Amino acid sequence: MATRYEFEGAEVQALVQEAQAATVRLMTEAQRYVAAGVDLHADDAPPEDDVDVPETGAEPGLWLMNDAGVYLRSNAKRRPDDSVAYASGYRGGPQVGDEAFCEYIAAAPLGQVRAGDTLVVTLDDAKVRLSLLRDE
């Protein structure tokens, strides 16, 4: 079943600019293991504690987070704690669903988001889909 989240365009723009301006960007846990060449789904995957994974080096992007509400944040290493964009109706609440998640969204496709737009992020078990609602 797909879940849909909506974000204000002006807030998304500010986060994209923050990620692009950062000199150091953090990787998500999944990005770190991919960068280390580890397939955690493989039958012969090493124990997570035995893998030396990088923490920085990501391309500019946003993280879709679900822990204290549902929100976007930039992957900039140095950023204000309150530099986030909450999904409509999900501000500061408990996590949605059974477990917290962090999904990376590249900044490049978000460059077309305008201040008056609404970014729609739709998640299902297999993919993250982005779309825009635009008043013209």
Side-chain angles (χ1 to χ4, degrees):
M1 180 169 105
T3 307
R4 175 184 165 126
Y5 303 105
E6 295 184 3
F7 299 90
E8 291 183 23
E11 293 177 343
V12 173
Q13 278 184 323
L15 294 174
V16 167
Q17 290 169 358
E18 182 178 274
Q20 290 171 330
T23 56
V24 180
R25 292 177 210 90
L26 299 171
M27 293 183 179
T28 64
E29 184 176 357
Q31 286 176 309
R32 293 184 356 234
Y33 284 104
V34 169
V38 175
D39 179 359
L40 293 177
H41 300 293
D43 292 335
D44 61 345
E48 292 181 30
D49 294 340
D50 292 347
V51 179
D52 184 22
V53 295
E55 291 186 15
T56 61
E59 293 296 317
L62 303 184
W63 291 357
L64 175 64
M65 306 285 296
N66 171 32
D67 53 14
V70 178
Y71 59 94
L72 293 170
R73 60 156 279 189
S74 81
N75 63 350
K77 183 173 183 176
R78 296 188 189 277
R79 63 176 201 64
D81 289 340
D82 63 347
S83 181
V84 298
Y86 283 97
S88 297
Y90 294 94
R91 180 179 206 84
Q95 73 183 31
V96 177
D98 294 335
E99 57 185 74
F101 61 76
C102 176
E103 296 290 337
Y104 171 80
I105 301 171
L110 298 175
Q112 62 187 307
V113 177
R114 297 180 191 163
D117 292 347
T118 299
L119 174 67
V120 179
V121 180
T122 306
L123 295 175
D124 64 28
D125 292 338
K127 62 187 167 213
V128 176
R129 204 174 32 189
L130 306 176
S131 56
L132 287 176
L133 299 177
R134 180 170 283 164
D135 288 333
E136 294 205 50

